[in-house]
PDB file of all heavy atoms in Angstrom:
ATOM      1  N   ARG A 179     100.345  10.016 100.615  1.00  0.00           N
ATOM      2  CA  ARG A 179     100.444  10.091 102.101  1.00  0.00           C
ATOM      3  C   ARG A 179      99.878   8.801 102.657  1.00  0.00           C
ATOM      4  O   ARG A 179      98.823   8.723 103.371  1.00  0.00           O
ATOM      5  CB  ARG A 179      99.782  11.283 102.676  1.00  0.00           C
ATOM      6  CG  ARG A 179     100.226  12.637 102.068  1.00  0.00           C
ATOM      7  CD  ARG A 179     101.740  12.914 102.006  1.00  0.00           C
ATOM      8  NE  ARG A 179     102.351  13.256 103.210  1.00  0.00           N
ATOM      9  CZ  ARG A 179     102.456  14.556 103.696  1.00  0.00           C
ATOM     10  NH1 ARG A 179     101.982  15.409 103.038  1.00  0.00           N
ATOM     11  NH2 ARG A 179     103.173  14.699 104.733  1.00  0.00           N
ATOM     12  N   THR A 180     100.466   7.624 102.385  1.00  0.00           N
ATOM     13  CA  THR A 180      99.874   6.336 102.800  1.00  0.00           C
ATOM     14  C   THR A 180     100.998   5.719 103.641  1.00  0.00           C
ATOM     15  O   THR A 180     102.189   6.013 103.631  1.00  0.00           O
ATOM     16  CB  THR A 180      99.748   5.483 101.574  1.00  0.00           C
ATOM     17  OG1 THR A 180     100.970   5.228 100.861  1.00  0.00           O
ATOM     18  CG2 THR A 180      98.642   5.998 100.575  1.00  0.00           C
ATOM     19  N   ASP A 187     108.624   9.556 102.234  1.00  0.00           N
ATOM     20  CA  ASP A 187     107.855  10.819 102.379  1.00  0.00           C
ATOM     21  C   ASP A 187     108.780  11.991 102.795  1.00  0.00           C
ATOM     22  O   ASP A 187     108.968  12.225 104.017  1.00  0.00           O
ATOM     23  CB  ASP A 187     106.661  10.602 103.322  1.00  0.00           C
ATOM     24  CG  ASP A 187     105.785  11.806 103.433  1.00  0.00           C
ATOM     25  OD1 ASP A 187     106.063  12.916 102.787  1.00  0.00           O
ATOM     26  OD2 ASP A 187     104.692  11.672 104.010  1.00  0.00           O
ATOM     27  N   SER A 190     107.242  14.904 104.833  1.00  0.00           N
ATOM     28  CA  SER A 190     107.168  14.668 106.236  1.00  0.00           C
ATOM     29  C   SER A 190     108.516  14.802 106.884  1.00  0.00           C
ATOM     30  O   SER A 190     108.639  15.538 107.963  1.00  0.00           O
ATOM     31  CB  SER A 190     106.579  13.326 106.528  1.00  0.00           C
ATOM     32  OG  SER A 190     105.232  13.156 106.244  1.00  0.00           O
ATOM     33  N   GLY A 233      99.725  19.724 111.368  1.00  0.00           N
ATOM     34  CA  GLY A 233     100.130  18.573 110.536  1.00  0.00           C
ATOM     35  C   GLY A 233     101.560  18.093 111.019  1.00  0.00           C
ATOM     36  O   GLY A 233     101.808  18.199 112.227  1.00  0.00           O
ATOM     37  N   VAL A 234     102.316  17.712 110.078  1.00  0.00           N
ATOM     38  CA  VAL A 234     103.626  17.122 110.428  1.00  0.00           C
ATOM     39  C   VAL A 234     104.535  18.157 111.211  1.00  0.00           C
ATOM     40  O   VAL A 234     105.037  17.986 112.276  1.00  0.00           O
ATOM     41  CB  VAL A 234     104.418  16.503 109.328  1.00  0.00           C
ATOM     42  CG1 VAL A 234     105.719  16.079 109.701  1.00  0.00           C
ATOM     43  CG2 VAL A 234     103.535  15.502 108.667  1.00  0.00           C
ATOM     44  N   ASP A 254      93.710  23.355 114.298  1.00  0.00           N
ATOM     45  CA  ASP A 254      93.679  22.852 112.918  1.00  0.00           C
ATOM     46  C   ASP A 254      92.218  22.641 112.549  1.00  0.00           C
ATOM     47  O   ASP A 254      91.307  22.432 113.353  1.00  0.00           O
ATOM     48  CB  ASP A 254      94.526  21.446 112.942  1.00  0.00           C
ATOM     49  CG  ASP A 254      94.888  21.080 111.524  1.00  0.00           C
ATOM     50  OD1 ASP A 254      94.063  20.815 110.611  1.00  0.00           O
ATOM     51  OD2 ASP A 254      96.055  21.081 111.234  1.00  0.00           O
ATOM     52  N   ARG A 256      91.307  20.069 110.651  1.00  0.00           N
ATOM     53  CA  ARG A 256      90.999  18.690 110.607  1.00  0.00           C
ATOM     54  C   ARG A 256      90.745  18.179 112.007  1.00  0.00           C
ATOM     55  O   ARG A 256      91.567  18.210 112.848  1.00  0.00           O
ATOM     56  CB  ARG A 256      92.036  17.869 109.970  1.00  0.00           C
ATOM     57  CG  ARG A 256      92.383  18.229 108.489  1.00  0.00           C
ATOM     58  CD  ARG A 256      93.435  17.484 107.797  1.00  0.00           C
ATOM     59  NE  ARG A 256      94.752  17.801 108.465  1.00  0.00           N
ATOM     60  CZ  ARG A 256      95.443  16.910 109.055  1.00  0.00           C
ATOM     61  NH1 ARG A 256      95.101  15.648 109.190  1.00  0.00           N
ATOM     62  NH2 ARG A 256      96.575  17.231 109.655  1.00  0.00           N
ATOM     63  N   GLY A 283      94.275  12.965 103.273  1.00  0.00           N
ATOM     64  CA  GLY A 283      94.722  13.365 104.596  1.00  0.00           C
ATOM     65  C   GLY A 283      94.936  14.836 104.731  1.00  0.00           C
ATOM     66  O   GLY A 283      95.225  15.289 105.771  1.00  0.00           O
ATOM     67  N   GLN A 315      98.580  24.807 105.627  1.00  0.00           N
ATOM     68  CA  GLN A 315      98.830  24.701 104.116  1.00  0.00           C
ATOM     69  C   GLN A 315      97.622  23.972 103.531  1.00  0.00           C
ATOM     70  O   GLN A 315      97.058  23.043 104.175  1.00  0.00           O
ATOM     71  CB  GLN A 315     100.101  23.977 103.734  1.00  0.00           C
ATOM     72  CG  GLN A 315     101.432  24.479 104.339  1.00  0.00           C
ATOM     73  CD  GLN A 315     101.991  25.518 103.453  1.00  0.00           C
ATOM     74  OE1 GLN A 315     101.397  26.004 102.459  1.00  0.00           O
ATOM     75  NE2 GLN A 315     103.122  25.992 103.795  1.00  0.00           N
TER      76      GLN A 315
HETATM   77  P1  NAD B 629     100.094  20.306 105.215  1.00  0.00           P
HETATM   78  O1  NAD B 629     101.587  20.821 105.291  1.00  0.00           O
HETATM   79  O2  NAD B 629      99.386  20.269 103.906  1.00  0.00           O
HETATM   80  O3  NAD B 629      99.191  21.391 106.173  1.00  0.00           O
HETATM   81  C1  NAD B 629      99.705  21.611 107.443  1.00  0.00           C
HETATM   82  C2  NAD B 629      98.439  21.671 108.390  1.00  0.00           C
HETATM   83  O4  NAD B 629      97.614  22.811 108.154  1.00  0.00           O
HETATM   84  C3  NAD B 629      97.508  20.513 108.148  1.00  0.00           C
HETATM   85  O5  NAD B 629      97.296  19.700 109.430  1.00  0.00           O
HETATM   86  C4  NAD B 629      96.175  21.108 107.773  1.00  0.00           C
HETATM   87  O6  NAD B 629      95.041  20.463 108.255  1.00  0.00           O
HETATM   88  C5  NAD B 629      96.360  22.481 108.431  1.00  0.00           C
HETATM   89  N1  NAD B 629      95.439  23.510 107.812  1.00  0.00           N
HETATM   90  C6  NAD B 629      95.075  23.743 106.562  1.00  0.00           C
HETATM   91  N2  NAD B 629      94.209  24.784 106.434  1.00  0.00           N
HETATM   92  C7  NAD B 629      94.081  25.277 107.767  1.00  0.00           C
HETATM   93  C8  NAD B 629      93.318  26.388 108.383  1.00  0.00           C
HETATM   94  N3  NAD B 629      92.622  27.211 107.667  1.00  0.00           N
HETATM   95  N4  NAD B 629      93.371  26.595 109.759  1.00  0.00           N
HETATM   96  C9  NAD B 629      94.170  25.694 110.432  1.00  0.00           C
HETATM   97  N5  NAD B 629      94.906  24.623 109.938  1.00  0.00           N
HETATM   98  C10 NAD B 629      94.845  24.424 108.619  1.00  0.00           C
HETATM   99  O7  NAD B 629      99.894  19.014 106.037  1.00  0.00           O
HETATM  100  P2  NAD B 629     100.962  17.906 106.265  1.00  0.00           P
HETATM  101  O8  NAD B 629     101.682  18.210 107.524  1.00  0.00           O
HETATM  102  O9  NAD B 629     101.832  17.554 105.143  1.00  0.00           O
HETATM  103  O10 NAD B 629     100.031  16.664 106.639  1.00  0.00           O
HETATM  104  C11 NAD B 629      98.826  16.389 105.942  1.00  0.00           C
HETATM  105  C12 NAD B 629      98.156  15.067 106.360  1.00  0.00           C
HETATM  106  O11 NAD B 629      98.895  13.973 105.909  1.00  0.00           O
HETATM  107  C13 NAD B 629      98.148  14.922 107.923  1.00  0.00           C
HETATM  108  O12 NAD B 629      96.919  14.264 108.119  1.00  0.00           O
HETATM  109  C14 NAD B 629      99.221  13.893 108.149  1.00  0.00           C
HETATM  110  O13 NAD B 629      98.986  13.223 109.319  1.00  0.00           O
HETATM  111  C15 NAD B 629      99.056  13.116 106.935  1.00  0.00           C
HETATM  112  N6  NAD B 629     100.284  12.337 106.695  1.00  0.00           N
HETATM  113  C16 NAD B 629     100.264  11.052 106.517  1.00  0.00           C
HETATM  114  C17 NAD B 629     101.402  10.346 106.233  1.00  0.00           C
HETATM  115  C18 NAD B 629     101.415   8.869 105.996  1.00  0.00           C
HETATM  116  O14 NAD B 629     100.528   8.180 106.333  1.00  0.00           O
HETATM  117  N7  NAD B 629     102.411   8.372 105.256  1.00  0.00           N
HETATM  118  C19 NAD B 629     102.644  10.914 106.217  1.00  0.00           C
HETATM  119  C20 NAD B 629     102.616  12.382 106.389  1.00  0.00           C
HETATM  120  C21 NAD B 629     101.401  13.123 106.612  1.00  0.00           C
END
Side-chain angles (χ1 to χ4, degrees):
R179 307 311 282 274
T180 59
D187 187 348
S190 289
V234 179
D254 197 296
R256 291 179 300 117
Q315 299 275 6

